[in-house]
Amino acid sequence: MLRIKFLPYEKAKKEDIKGMLNDLKSGMIIVIDAKLPAEEEAKIIEETMKIVSEKFPGIELSSIEISHSKSETTLDKIKEVIIEKLSGKKRGLTIIGPAKIIRKIEKNPEELLLYT
Amino acid sequence: MVIRHIKRLKNRISLIVRRIFKKKKDIKIGLYGPVNSGKTTLANRICLDWLGEELGKVSNIPHETREIQMKKVDMKVNGKSLSFNLVDTPGIATKIDFENFLRYGLKRKEAKQRAKEATRGVIEAIKWLDNMDLVLVVLDSTKNPVNQVNITILGNLDAREIPLIIVANKIDLKKSDVMRIREAFPGYDVIGISAKTGAMINELYKLILKKL
């Protein structure tokens, strides 16, 4: 049975990486409603490497950043940029899953395709 | 949030301070990229061209380079010279499956050991990012460049404001597509080379000198 945990970015930020990795080790897939900053992705990779074992070979991680749509007004875009700067939350999506379950995540600029 | 901003500001200040007080001889050029993109082949090419000896062992088995390797290089192109430490790093990966090594004929014990060393290598490579003055992001130009490892590497270099060159390696192969890399990562300096044959390597040297 596939287990997916949906995490709001604010909660993901508070939850420490080790907690997230425990979920991943137990076979859970994590979906976060934002694009993680590159430094956080690197930190997740670093922490993952510390616990790689025969049973847990690592993770598949992928994120997309959703660009502003053409229909958005300039004011909306400015508002969005301010919110992004203040909260650190980038519009997008991040999926992290155990490599044993997720074979690969294919990515094109605005879509993620998961292969189990 | 505030803590992250303070941390970023601290990183930026320390980077500026390091750049101001760093002696010319301390320059570090790092080779980063995913596994089997040809980082060590490029390191060997550079070392052979300027030192007459290779830096590390190359193999088709993933994670051949599992430790940071460094060599002092003195480069001279078109009358301009540069002394730097060339740092070859292990390939960055999000997973290391020891069973994959078995397919290359490694014994179980060897495969386990290789996997263990490879995980340490990835951690080391990430930690060393902060020490770099220029990074050559080595990508296999026969493969789709839009993958998370490449994006994470570029994102981290951008966040740290470390200058970089994307090296689209393996242009000697039929499937090579440098344009695909240029389109995937607009705004970056991308140069197609073959570390194996040496094609376009002089252009890369010129670009390195221009960047530093």
Side-chain angles (χ1 to χ4, degrees), chain B residues 10-57:
Chain B
K10 212 176 115 192
N11 282 346
R12 190 172 287 186
I13 292 169
S14 83
L15 189 79
I16 293 166
V17 170
R18 262 197 296 131
R19 278 180 190 164
I20 292 170
F21 292 102
K22 193 171 242 183
K23 292 174 200 163
K24 271 270 183 200
K25 63 177 182 179
D26 290 332
I27 290 170
K28 286 190 184 70
I29 299 181
L31 298 176
Y32 276 80
V35 180
N36 278 23
S37 62
K39 295 177 291 301
T40 306
T41 309
L42 177 57
N44 285 344
R45 166 68 55 186
I46 297 171
C47 288
L48 268 174
D49 283 351
W50 303 104
L51 304 171
E53 60 181 33
E54 292 192 337
L55 177 74
K57 206 178 138 207

Side-chain angles (χ1 to χ4, degrees), chain B residues 81-126:
Chain B
S81 59
L82 179 72
S83 268
F84 60 89
N85 289 298
L86 183 68
V87 186
D88 184 25
T89 67
I92 309 269
T94 59
K95 59 181 173 188
I96 289 158
D97 189 355
F98 94 102
E99 279 176 18
N100 189 31
F101 300 138
L102 300 176
R103 284 175 218 127
Y104 286 90
L106 258 65
K107 287 179 187 146
R108 219 175 163 77
K109 203 178 163 188
E110 286 171 335
K112 275 188 183 176
Q113 184 60 26
R114 193 180 185 94
K116 203 174 164 186
E117 289 168 7
T119 58
R120 275 191 234 125
V122 175
I123 296 168
E124 279 298 292
I126 294 172

Side-chain angles (χ1 to χ4, degrees), chain B residues 24 27 50 73-84 209 212:
Chain B
K24 271 270 183 200
I27 290 170
W50 303 104
V73 175
D74 295 307
M75 185 185 276
K76 202 171 180 184
V77 182
N78 293 346
K80 272 187 171 182
S81 59
L82 179 72
S83 268
F84 60 89
L209 283 161
L212 285 168

Side-chain angles (χ1 to χ4, degrees), chain A residues 9 13 35 37-42 45-46 48-50 52-54 57-63 84-88 99-100 102-103 107-108, chain B residues 1 4-5 8 92-99 108 112 115 118-120 122-123 126-127 129 144 146-149 151-152 154-156 159-160:
Chain A
Y9 178 69
K13 241 179 13 175
K35 191 204 173 297
E39 299 104 308
E40 278 178 41
E41 285 172 359
I45 295 174
E46 225 182 302
T48 301
M49 287 300 122
K50 290 179 188 168
V52 160
S53 66
E54 239 176 282
I59 57 166
E60 276 294 340
L61 177 149
S62 202
S63 59
E84 268 182 25
K85 287 280 174 206
L86 291 174
S87 66
K100 279 253 175 190
I102 298 181
R103 218 162 17 96
K107 175 174 177 160
N108 73 38
Chain B
M1 188 63 215
R4 212 175 69 211
H5 277 304
R8 264 197 185 166
I92 309 269
T94 59
K95 59 181 173 188
I96 289 158
D97 189 355
F98 94 102
E99 279 176 18
R108 219 175 163 77
K112 275 188 183 176
T119 58
R120 275 191 234 125
V122 175
I123 296 168
I126 294 172
K127 284 199 192 308
L129 261 178
N144 179 8
V146 188
N147 69 56
Q148 195 59 41
V149 166
I151 291 163
T152 302
L154 292 174
N156 273 275
R160 290 167 168 84

